[in-house]
Amino acid sequence: MSRIPQNTWSDPETVISCDATLVGCGGWHYSGQYFREVFPVEIQKLNLHISALELLTLVVTVKLWVHTFKNKRIQVFSDNMATVICVNTGKARDPFMSHCLRKLVYVLALHEAEIKVRHIDTKANTIPDLLSRWSNSPEVYSRWVKLTKGQKTRRKRIKRSHFIKFFNW
């Protein structure tokens, strides 16, 4: 049975991290894979608060790499405390965040995976922070190159449908 774990565990088999801004998002898989995208216009028009966008980004991140999570424990790092609390408790008061949480549980159940989200300080969430801000500043690229020097990285593209199909169920 898959679930959001109610017990504590300390040996995740996969580690990912993600971040969002009001206009874009990014995610990092510790294998060196990453994504960075500007939110589609349909998402931007919803005028969601940052916590909702952070949770949406977490769901999209999990959906992107879920094929690698079968029967695994996934450790996610997020700098948004509302996202951490929502996922770890399995509860949300915000309707959009509740929808995100249901989608996350469904995806995890299909792949018999468990998730635990840990809060990380924004300054320590450097790679996803750069990825989410990629379109905001020309200096982000040079910081990215410096930070990932010597690492084998590979960009994964997110289809617009990852965000839009999110609402169709």
Side-chain angles (χ1 to χ4, degrees), residues 46-105:
L46 295 174
N47 291 318
L48 298 168
H49 55 86
I50 191 63
S51 294
L53 292 170
E54 291 269 4
L55 186 55
L56 172 61
T57 299
L58 188 147
V59 174
V60 169
T61 302
V62 169
K63 284 174 59 179
L64 179 65
W65 288 305
V66 74
H67 65 281
T68 68
F69 299 157
K70 182 81 174 167
N71 295 314
K72 291 188 178 179
R73 292 178 170 174
I74 309 156
Q75 177 76 65
V76 180
F77 290 104
S78 173
D79 61 8
N80 184 276
M81 189 57 82
T83 295
V84 173
I85 291 169
C86 179
V87 175
N88 289 341
T89 64
K91 299 175 185 175
R93 291 184 181 166
D94 178 87
F96 183 84
M97 292 180 76
S98 291
H99 181 74
C100 289
L101 189 58
R102 285 190 300 274
K103 185 68 168 183
L104 180 63
V105 169

Side-chain angles (χ1 to χ4, degrees), residues 37-164:
E37 298 296 333
V38 173
F39 287 118
V41 174
E42 295 88 344
I43 299 297
Q44 291 184 30
K45 284 181 179 178
L46 295 174
N47 291 318
L48 298 168
H49 55 86
I50 191 63
S51 294
L53 292 170
E54 291 269 4
L55 186 55
L56 172 61
T57 299
L58 188 147
V59 174
V60 169
T61 302
V62 169
K63 284 174 59 179
L64 179 65
W65 288 305
V66 74
H67 65 281
T68 68
F69 299 157
K70 182 81 174 167
N71 295 314
K72 291 188 178 179
R73 292 178 170 174
I74 309 156
Q75 177 76 65
V76 180
F77 290 104
S78 173
D79 61 8
N80 184 276
M81 189 57 82
T83 295
V84 173
I85 291 169
C86 179
V87 175
N88 289 341
T89 64
K91 299 175 185 175
R93 291 184 181 166
D94 178 87
F96 183 84
M97 292 180 76
S98 291
H99 181 74
C100 289
L101 189 58
R102 285 190 300 274
K103 185 68 168 183
L104 180 63
V105 169
Y106 177 73
V107 169
L108 292 170
L110 288 177
H111 293 84
E112 300 176 5
E114 292 184 6
I115 192 169
K116 177 84 173 186
V117 183
R118 288 189 55 203
H119 185 259
I120 187 170
D121 186 78
T122 301
K123 291 180 182 179
N125 202 26
T126 311
I127 291 177
D129 187 66
L130 288 174
L131 294 169
S132 69
R133 297 174 194 288
W134 196 277
S135 64
N136 295 2
S137 167
E139 74 178 36
V140 169
Y141 176 74
S142 59
R143 289 183 60 206
W144 166 260
V145 169
K146 185 177 177 180
L147 192 62
T148 59
K149 187 174 183 163
Q151 292 183 347
K152 185 178 178 182
T153 61
R154 192 179 89 196
R155 183 176 179 189
K156 298 278 287 184
R157 297 284 181 167
I158 301 263
K159 296 177 184 173
R160 187 174 157 268
S161 64
H162 273 81
F163 295 98
I164 306 310

Side-chain angles (χ1 to χ4, degrees), residues 8-25:
T8 57
W9 45 268
S10 59
D11 293 326
E13 289 126 334
T14 302
V15 179
I16 58 177
S17 55
C18 53
D19 190 53
T21 65
L22 294 176
V23 295
C25 61

